Amino acid sequence: MRGWFGQAVGGLPRQFWLLWTGTLINRLGSFVVIFLAIYLTADRHFSQSRAGLVIGLYGVGGAIGTTVGGVLADRWGRKPTMLTAQFGAAALMLALGFAHDYGQILAVTFLLGVFTEAVRPAFSAMMVDVVPDRDRVRAFSLNYWAINLGFALSAVGAGLAAKVDYLLLFVVDAGTTLVTALICLIFLRETKPTVVVKQRDSGGMITVLRDRVFMTYLLISAGGIVVMMQHMSTLPIAMTSEGLSAATYGWVIAVNGVLIVLGQLFVPRLIDGRSPARVLALGSLIIGVGFGLTAFAHAPWFFALTVIVWTLGEMIQSPSNATTVAALSPPSMRGRYQGLNSLGWSAGTALAPIVGGLTQEHLGNAALWIGCFAVCALVAVGHLAAAPSRERRIRLLGPVEPVLDEPTIPVPAVAEPVADAPPSHAR
């Protein structure tokens, strides 16, 4: 157990653990997004359509924020972008809690989406800057674990806070965002690369959009995102059509978070050193099988089984997704690449309920879930077909040393020596 724990967390730089701590703290207090719809309808007494417009504006602001945040992270720097976004988000969170007029709530929510999401590209770019190629699978797995642990606990905390006073949701959320900003201000160092690279930086976001290898990767991944996001839109509808309650859906979907928290730290040992394209393809197939099995689910235990299956695919796919984006990003443009990747997730999340809802309404649940399997199978084929071009791009960019030379937590002697690790282009 000591050997496994050392292999899971050892050898990572101090700045990574500061980023990881900030992620966990911020997610522990992510109350508002979880309960925003309930707050707007139950406490502010807005109609469902008006509440939906508010939430939609948050998504529009988030799409703008990820794009602008990515550009600023490359041109201005990772740390100033993160600080501006975090302090701004904390102030706007409090402002939203005290806003009463519908117009004010619309404006503040839109700006909150911009500032909240603008931090993500800079955060991801900084993590790539400080973690060596050989450790990125472990690093992104650990960060993904922290995100899910924080989210699971915040859902419980948000429910308790809402019983006391809805304003407490905004205060706690702003407080944890402020603590994360202070960690960034006091402890984190700037990591924006200063070396001259081959890729031209003057083209801005247009340069990224012209990167056919990366854009092909985003297009292939979009199919998987649309399928994954069905668990938030069409799955609860399918379960209620079987006569199951909302509470049943709650504990069934909670299986996803529990499984990730219990098992994510074991994933790096399973996929480390393997071809990322093959891991992505396998993860897509497993996700497809999980959602495809939903076509035959009628009882709660069967729905829970399908969640277990597609969660396993999600667990092995998530770190490989993150490392692939990192490997395809030129050092001087990491923020923009991360921003466009986040924008792709936002677009897929917005498209998922539309496509899924239309399919479910006009073709039925069985067609929806079988279609999800077919889409994931096509995504798997796409990852395998695109693998040679990705590998050529990664070899062309070559391995990049971390920006900061920092002390690391040593790996116990029972762990495999670093010299035995496969070359970075094999990841």
Side-chain angles (χ1 to χ4, degrees), residues 29-38 55 58 93 112 116-117 120 151 170 173:
S30 296
F31 289 177
V32 171
V33 175
I34 301 174
F35 270 68
L36 185 57
I38 298 175
I55 297 171
Y58 179 91
M93 192 71 70
L112 180 63
T116 299
E117 299 301 321
R120 300 191 190 281
F151 182 81
F170 297 90
D173 203 327

Side-chain angles (χ1 to χ4, degrees), residues 205-258:
M205 191 63 74
I206 299 298
T207 304
V208 187
L209 294 173
R210 290 176 177 172
D211 185 341
R212 287 183 293 180
V213 174
F214 184 68
M215 294 306 297
T216 299
Y217 169 77
L218 292 185
L219 183 61
I220 293 171
S221 299
I225 296 170
V226 170
V227 171
M228 275 296 304
M229 290 300 106
Q230 298 306 315
H231 77 277
M232 298 178 62
S233 55
T234 54
L235 179 60
I237 296 174
M239 291 184 64
T240 54
S241 69
E242 295 290 340
L244 303 176
S245 66
T248 301
Y249 166 75
W251 75 257
V252 165
I253 204 64
V255 172
N256 171 259
V258 171

Side-chain angles (χ1 to χ4, degrees), residues 27-28 147-157 257-258 261:
R27 291 289 176 166
L28 284 172
I147 289 172
N148 281 274
L149 176 62
F151 182 81
L153 295 177
S154 70
V156 178
V258 171
V261 170

Side-chain angles (χ1 to χ4, degrees), residues 79-407:
K79 184 172 179 176
T81 302
M82 290 170 64
L83 286 174
T84 302
Q86 288 167 338
F87 281 118
L92 288 164
M93 192 71 70
L94 283 177
L96 182 58
F98 287 101
H100 293 275
D101 180 72
Y102 184 65
Q104 292 177 343
I105 291 176
L106 285 173
V108 174
T109 303
F110 170 75
L111 292 174
L112 180 63
V114 173
F115 279 82
T116 299
E117 299 301 321
V119 73
R120 300 191 190 281
F123 176 92
S124 299
M126 181 176 282
M127 186 172 292
V128 175
D129 290 339
V130 302
V131 177
D133 290 355
R134 64 179 180 272
D135 293 325
R136 283 177 186 161
V137 170
R138 292 192 299 124
F140 282 112
S141 290
L142 286 165
N143 192 62
Y144 186 61
W145 181 82
I147 289 172
N148 281 274
L149 176 62
F151 182 81
L153 295 177
S154 70
V156 178
L160 296 175
K163 290 183 178 180
V164 178
D165 190 341
Y166 276 104
L167 181 60
L168 189 59
L169 295 174
F170 297 90
V171 173
V172 174
D173 203 327
T176 54
T177 303
L178 183 61
V179 170
T180 305
L182 291 175
I183 291 174
C184 177
L185 175 66
I186 298 171
F187 298 107
L188 294 183
R189 296 162 58 189
E190 179 56 63
T191 64
K192 177 186 173 185
T194 57
V195 296
V196 178
V197 295
K198 296 179 181 179
Q199 286 72 22
R200 185 165 61 92
D201 187 41
S202 59
M205 191 63 74
I206 299 298
T207 304
V208 187
L209 294 173
R210 290 176 177 172
D211 185 341
R212 287 183 293 180
V213 174
F214 184 68
M215 294 306 297
T216 299
Y217 169 77
L218 292 185
L219 183 61
I220 293 171
S221 299
I225 296 170
V226 170
V227 171
M228 275 296 304
M229 290 300 106
Q230 298 306 315
H231 77 277
M232 298 178 62
S233 55
T234 54
L235 179 60
I237 296 174
M239 291 184 64
T240 54
S241 69
E242 295 290 340
L244 303 176
S245 66
T248 301
Y249 166 75
W251 75 257
V252 165
I253 204 64
V255 172
N256 171 259
V258 171
L259 193 58
I260 291 173
V261 170
L262 294 179
Q264 189 64 44
L265 296 184
F266 295 93
V267 170
R269 186 68 181 270
L270 296 176
I271 66 175
D272 200 19
R274 304 184 187 277
S275 165
R278 293 182 179 180
V279 173
L280 289 171
L282 177 61
S284 296
L285 280 177
I286 296 174
I287 291 171
V289 170
F291 279 97
L293 286 173
T294 312
F296 308 99
H298 302 286
W301 69 267
F302 204 130
F303 280 106
L305 176 63
T306 66
V307 172
I308 291 173
V309 174
W310 59 254
T311 298
L312 293 174
E314 178 189 4
M315 288 167 64
I316 69 172
Q317 193 180 67
S318 178
S320 295
N321 268 319
T323 53
T324 299
V325 174
L328 293 174
S329 308
S332 67
M333 303 181 70
R334 281 175 181 158
R336 274 164 279 199
Y337 273 72
Q338 294 290 345
L340 198 58
N341 180 57
S342 297
L343 183 60
W345 273 92
S346 298
T349 302
L351 187 61
I354 299 173
V355 176
L358 289 173
T359 304
Q360 191 175 45
E361 179 180 353
H362 296 289
L363 299 178
N365 285 320
L368 169 66
W369 304 123
I370 294 173
C372 286
F373 170 76
V375 169
C376 286
L378 291 174
V379 169
V381 172
H383 281 306
L384 294 176
S389 61
R390 290 181 201 165
E391 291 171 358
R392 285 193 298 269
R393 167 63 59 80
I394 294 171
R395 285 196 297 268
L396 179 63
L397 291 175
V400 180
E401 292 299 319
V403 175
L404 301 179
D405 184 15
E406 290 193 322

Side-chain angles (χ1 to χ4, degrees), residues 60-83:
V60 173
I64 296 173
T66 55
T67 306
V68 174
V71 174
L72 290 177
D74 287 334
R75 295 190 173 178
W76 191 19
R78 298 8 174 171
K79 184 172 179 176
T81 302
M82 290 170 64
L83 286 174

